[in-house]
Amino acid sequence: MKRIVLILALVLVGFFVFRGCGTSPEEASKDTVKEFMSAIREGEGKEAVKLLYPPFRDALVQDVKLPIQITEMKPSELLACALSSMGENVKKVKIIDVKKIDDKHAEVLVKVIDKNGVEKLFWFITIKDEKSWKIASISNVK
Protein backbone atom coordinates (compact mmCIF):
# COMPACT_ATOMS: atom_id res chain seq x y z
CA MET A 1 0.00 0.00 0.00
CA LYS A 2 2.84 2.39 0.86
CA ARG A 3 4.40 1.66 -2.51
CA ILE A 4 1.20 2.66 -4.36
CA VAL A 5 0.96 5.90 -2.37
CA LEU A 6 4.62 6.66 -3.13
CA ILE A 7 4.12 6.05 -6.86
CA LEU A 8 0.99 8.19 -6.89
CA ALA A 9 2.84 10.97 -5.06
CA LEU A 10 5.70 10.84 -7.58
CA VAL A 11 3.26 10.97 -10.50
CA LEU A 12 1.53 14.02 -8.99
CA VAL A 13 4.83 15.78 -8.30
CA GLY A 14 5.95 15.07 -11.88
CA PHE A 15 2.68 16.44 -13.22
CA PHE A 16 2.98 19.70 -11.29
CA VAL A 17 6.66 20.14 -12.18
CA PHE A 18 5.90 19.60 -15.86
CA ARG A 19 2.88 21.86 -15.73
CA GLY A 20 4.88 24.52 -13.89
CA CYS A 21 7.30 24.72 -16.81
CA GLY A 22 4.45 25.92 -19.00
CA THR A 23 4.84 26.94 -22.58
CA SER A 24 7.59 29.08 -24.01
CA PRO A 25 7.18 32.88 -24.09
CA GLU A 26 6.99 32.65 -27.88
CA GLU A 27 4.15 30.11 -27.89
CA ALA A 28 2.24 31.85 -25.11
CA SER A 29 2.58 35.22 -26.86
CA LYS A 30 1.50 33.76 -30.18
CA ASP A 31 -1.56 32.19 -28.55
CA THR A 32 -2.51 35.47 -26.84
CA VAL A 33 -2.28 37.45 -30.08
CA LYS A 34 -4.25 34.78 -31.98
CA GLU A 35 -6.95 34.85 -29.32
CA PHE A 36 -7.04 38.67 -29.40
CA MET A 37 -7.33 38.84 -33.20
CA SER A 38 -9.94 36.07 -33.22
CA ALA A 39 -12.02 37.97 -30.66
CA ILE A 40 -11.83 41.13 -32.78
CA ARG A 41 -12.78 39.28 -35.98
CA GLU A 42 -15.75 37.69 -34.22
CA GLY A 43 -16.95 41.04 -32.84
CA GLU A 44 -16.16 40.00 -29.26
CA GLY A 45 -14.62 43.27 -28.08
CA LYS A 46 -15.13 42.47 -24.41
CA GLU A 47 -13.06 39.31 -24.77
CA ALA A 48 -10.36 41.22 -26.67
CA VAL A 49 -10.15 43.86 -23.92
CA LYS A 50 -9.48 41.12 -21.33
CA LEU A 51 -6.28 40.24 -23.22
CA LEU A 52 -4.84 43.75 -22.94
CA TYR A 53 -2.28 44.59 -20.26
CA PRO A 54 -4.10 47.03 -17.91
CA PRO A 55 -1.78 50.07 -18.42
CA PHE A 56 -2.02 49.61 -22.22
CA ARG A 57 -5.79 49.14 -22.01
CA ASP A 58 -6.10 52.35 -19.97
CA ALA A 59 -4.00 54.25 -22.52
CA LEU A 60 -6.24 52.99 -25.34
CA VAL A 61 -9.34 54.01 -23.40
CA GLN A 62 -7.96 57.56 -23.32
CA ASP A 63 -7.73 57.46 -27.13
CA VAL A 64 -11.43 56.63 -27.56
CA LYS A 65 -12.70 60.00 -28.78
CA LEU A 66 -16.35 59.65 -27.75
CA PRO A 67 -17.47 61.95 -24.95
CA ILE A 68 -18.21 59.76 -21.94
CA GLN A 69 -21.07 62.09 -20.93
CA ILE A 70 -23.28 60.94 -23.82
CA THR A 71 -23.22 57.31 -22.81
CA GLU A 72 -23.62 55.24 -19.70
CA MET A 73 -20.97 52.78 -20.84
CA LYS A 74 -17.76 52.31 -18.91
CA PRO A 75 -14.61 53.41 -20.77
CA SER A 76 -13.50 49.79 -21.18
CA GLU A 77 -16.90 48.97 -22.71
CA LEU A 78 -16.42 51.79 -25.23
CA LEU A 79 -13.04 50.31 -26.10
CA ALA A 80 -14.67 46.89 -26.51
CA CYS A 81 -17.19 48.36 -28.96
CA ALA A 82 -14.41 50.04 -30.94
CA LEU A 83 -12.44 46.78 -31.12
CA SER A 84 -15.57 44.86 -32.18
CA SER A 85 -16.26 47.26 -35.04
CA MET A 86 -12.63 47.00 -36.25
CA GLY A 87 -13.08 43.29 -36.83
CA GLU A 88 -15.75 43.81 -39.47
CA ASN A 89 -13.09 44.87 -41.98
CA VAL A 90 -10.56 42.09 -41.26
CA LYS A 91 -10.42 39.36 -43.90
CA LYS A 92 -7.31 37.40 -42.87
CA VAL A 93 -4.77 37.37 -40.04
CA LYS A 94 -1.41 35.62 -40.22
CA ILE A 95 1.31 35.35 -37.57
CA ILE A 96 4.58 36.08 -39.42
CA ASP A 97 7.18 35.92 -36.65
CA VAL A 98 7.53 35.57 -32.89
CA LYS A 99 10.64 36.67 -30.97
CA LYS A 100 11.39 36.28 -27.29
CA ILE A 101 12.66 39.51 -25.73
CA ASP A 102 13.17 38.02 -22.27
CA ASP A 103 11.31 35.63 -19.93
CA LYS A 104 8.43 38.08 -19.48
CA HIS A 105 8.29 39.81 -22.89
CA ALA A 106 7.95 38.76 -26.51
CA GLU A 107 7.06 40.39 -29.80
CA VAL A 108 4.74 38.99 -32.43
CA LEU A 109 4.67 40.20 -36.04
CA VAL A 110 1.18 39.93 -37.54
CA LYS A 111 -0.03 40.50 -41.09
CA VAL A 112 -3.63 41.67 -41.38
CA ILE A 113 -5.40 41.71 -44.73
CA ASP A 114 -8.57 43.78 -44.91
CA LYS A 115 -11.58 43.13 -47.12
CA ASN A 116 -10.15 45.46 -49.77
CA GLY A 117 -7.00 43.32 -49.99
CA VAL A 118 -4.80 45.91 -48.25
CA GLU A 119 -2.06 44.28 -46.17
CA LYS A 120 -0.79 45.83 -42.95
CA LEU A 121 1.91 44.62 -40.57
CA PHE A 122 1.70 45.09 -36.81
CA TRP A 123 4.10 44.39 -33.96
CA PHE A 124 2.43 43.14 -30.81
CA ILE A 125 4.51 43.31 -27.64
CA THR A 126 3.30 40.87 -24.99
CA ILE A 127 4.06 40.77 -21.29
CA LYS A 128 3.55 38.08 -18.69
CA ASP A 129 1.69 39.32 -15.64
CA GLU A 130 1.05 37.22 -12.54
CA LYS A 131 -0.66 34.35 -14.34
CA SER A 132 -1.10 34.99 -18.06
CA TRP A 133 0.25 36.76 -21.12
CA LYS A 134 -1.27 40.10 -22.11
CA ILE A 135 -0.81 42.51 -24.98
CA ALA A 136 1.22 45.53 -23.82
CA SER A 137 1.65 47.35 -27.12
CA ILE A 138 0.49 47.30 -30.73
CA SER A 139 2.25 49.33 -33.41
CA ASN A 140 2.27 49.59 -37.20
CA VAL A 141 5.32 48.38 -39.05
CA LYS A 142 6.48 51.06 -41.44
Side-chain angles (χ1 to χ4, degrees):
M1 184 67 169
K2 287 182 181 181
R3 188 175 189 159
I4 292 173
V5 172
L6 180 62
I7 292 171
L8 182 59
L10 287 173
V11 168
L12 287 174
V13 168
F15 171 76
F16 287 114
V17 167
F18 178 74
R19 185 179 164 113
C21 294
T23 59
S24 69
E26 295 91 341
E27 282 300 312
S29 295
K30 185 177 177 179
D31 291 345
T32 298
V33 172
K34 278 184 177 179
E35 189 176 343
F36 177 79
M37 293 304 297
S38 178
I40 288 176
R41 288 182 74 190
E42 294 170 7
E44 297 291 332
K46 287 183 180 182
E47 294 303 313
V49 168
K50 291 177 187 177
L51 296 167
L52 299 174
Y53 189 58
F56 181 56
R57 179 201 60 219
D58 295 344
L60 288 176
V61 164
Q62 297 300 315
D63 289 341
V64 175
K65 302 296 182 195
L66 296 174
I68 302 295
Q69 297 81 1
I70 65 169
T71 180
E72 294 182 13
M73 296 174 84
K74 295 178 187 174
S76 61
E77 291 173 332
L78 284 173
L79 178 59
C81 286
L83 290 173
S84 293
S85 66
M86 289 171 62
E88 296 172 3
N89 195 35
V90 175
K91 180 178 179 181
K92 186 175 181 180
V93 176
K94 183 176 182 183
I95 305 289
I96 302 295
D97 193 21
V98 182
K99 296 179 184 175
K100 177 181 172 181
I101 298 171
D102 58 35
D103 289 340
K104 290 192 166 210
H105 299 87
E107 53 187 12
V108 182
L109 180 61
V110 177
K111 180 183 355 180
V112 177
I113 302 172
D114 70 16
K115 292 188 177 176
N116 296 321
V118 177
E119 295 181 5
K120 295 179 183 174
L121 293 174
F122 296 95
W123 276 115
F124 285 73
I125 304 294
T126 59
I127 186 169
K128 185 168 195 241
D129 65 7
E130 299 85 39
K131 57 186 172 194
S132 63
W133 286 81
K134 303 285 184 179
I135 295 168
S137 173
I138 304 171
S139 58
N140 288 330
V141 175
K142 298 181 185 196

